[in-house]
Amino acid sequence: MNDIIPLKERIIVALDVNDAEQAKELVKKCESHTSYFKVGLQLFMSNWFETVDWIVDRGHKVMLDLKFFDIPETVKLAVEQVSNRGVSLVTIHGNDPIIRAAVSVRGDMKLLAVTVLTSFGEEDLRAMGMTQSIEDLVYFRAKRALELGCDGVVSSGLEVERMRRDLGGKLLIVTPGIRPGANVRDGSDDQKRIVTAGTAIKNGASHVVVGRPITKADDPIRVIEQMQQEIAASAN
Ligand code: C5P
């Protein structure tokens, strides 16, 4: 499946900025190289669907990353508000009742279940009294999400290999927590489960989500080009 996704859509640029003006500037800067953009909580709170509609009208794809988490009926109504307005990917939390509610109303969008946030480490799981490994938890949640009709999952690049091997080629696996370079821990910010773009794709991710390494770079296009070279070399 991975080789049929155009290189221009492999990197989803996270538009984690304060307003529509900054977001549009970033899209214009990156769009010669990338055609997939993520709108998350920070930007959505500032202008609701303004930037989403603008990106879609410009011919690009949008991942709307609001990670819906509520009682099933509320999630269902929220997903319905988003469906059929050109958004390509929408995120929900990977709990059974939430997934069931969202699947029934997703329209033409693909639904991604968040497994375990990439800012979460094994020690955070232990602090919650959980004895499972993150890899097992991600795998179990991904398996359930797929069984319940989700199109894919969000997970770190560290858990991708097993999911791709055991859950098949159709599953979309979208991987944040991407950091460039040999020492990926440099500039990891609040992310704990991090890999390079090349490793994520090599392990079987369909897409990578990249925010700060691109948005805070002096030369975002250079970062994108380097990541795309790695991705092209890693895709199979
Ligand atoms: O700046 P950075 O590359 O760390 O940004 C990652 C982006 O991916 C953020 O917008 C964050 O909300 C999002 N994300 C994540 N982990 C998830 C799901 C989404 O980091 N599990």
Side-chain angles (χ1 to χ4, degrees):
M1 182 216 34
N2 283 354
D3 55 355
I4 58 173
I5 301 171
L7 193 56
K8 245 188 138 175
E9 293 181 10
R10 290 300 202 122
I11 298 174
I12 303 176
V13 179
L15 301 173
D16 293 331
V17 291
N18 270 337
D19 54 45
E21 204 182 318
Q22 290 176 55
K24 289 175 186 177
E25 200 182 305
L26 203 49
V27 170
K28 286 179 190 166
K29 210 179 268 179
C30 298
E31 67 187 352
S32 57
H33 286 66
T34 57
S35 198
Y36 222 137
F37 297 92
K38 183 171 92 72
V39 175
L41 287 169
Q42 181 187 4
L43 180 58
F44 196 76
M45 287 304 118
S46 101
N47 59 52
W48 306 97
F49 281 101
E50 182 192 332
T51 326
V52 172
D53 293 342
W54 181 85
I55 298 169
V56 170
D57 289 345
R58 237 172 140 79
H60 302 305
K61 290 191 172 174
V62 171
M63 170 177 173
L64 186 63
D65 183 26
L66 303 178
K67 301 185 181 69
F68 293 131
F69 184 72
D70 210 313
I71 61 168
E73 184 64 8
T74 304
V75 170
K76 181 177 156 191
L77 296 172
V79 171
E80 234 166 353
Q81 295 274 41
V82 180
S83 66
N84 301 316
R85 62 184 306 148
V87 167
S88 298
L89 293 175
V90 71
T91 54
I92 57 171
H93 273 265
N95 295 2
D96 287 19
I98 292 178
I99 295 173
R100 279 198 195 93
V103 160
S104 64
V105 292
R106 73 172 176 275
D108 52 11
M109 297 183 297
K110 304 266 190 221
L111 212 52
L112 297 179
V114 175
T115 54
V116 177
L117 293 173
T118 43
S119 56
F120 221 69
E122 295 287 348
E123 68 282 10
D124 299 309
L125 218 55
R126 301 290 94 78
M128 292 171 68
M130 296 178 77
T131 52
Q132 251 176 325
S133 68
I134 288 188
E135 196 195 34
D136 283 349
L137 187 56
V138 168
Y139 179 79
F140 177 75
R141 287 194 163 161
K143 191 164 174 292
R144 281 302 289 160
L146 192 62
E147 284 165 3
L148 293 172
C150 260
D151 303 284
V153 294
V154 184
S155 89
S156 96
L158 299 174
E159 300 91 38
V160 172
E161 210 171 347
R162 177 174 170 198
M163 286 189 286
R164 183 59 76 209
R165 189 186 59 232
D166 294 354
L167 301 179
K170 262 180 66 188
L171 184 74
L172 292 170
I173 305 179
V174 177
T175 294
I178 299 297
R179 289 297 177 270
N183 184 2
V184 292
R185 287 233 69 91
D186 284 351
S188 62
D189 307 304
D190 51 352
Q191 299 283 21
K192 288 188 182 159
R193 300 192 340 277
I194 48 184
V195 298
T196 64
T199 304
I201 298 294
K202 188 161 161 278
N203 288 353
S206 53
H207 303 80
V208 292
V209 167
V210 188
R212 288 161 287 187
I214 291 175
T215 58
K216 303 242 183 280
D218 293 334
D219 186 352
I221 291 296
R222 213 174 123 243
V223 177
I224 292 171
E225 281 176 346
Q226 281 169 350
M227 286 186 177
Q228 284 179 331
Q229 277 169 19
E230 277 179 46
I231 289 170
S234 303
N236 45 50

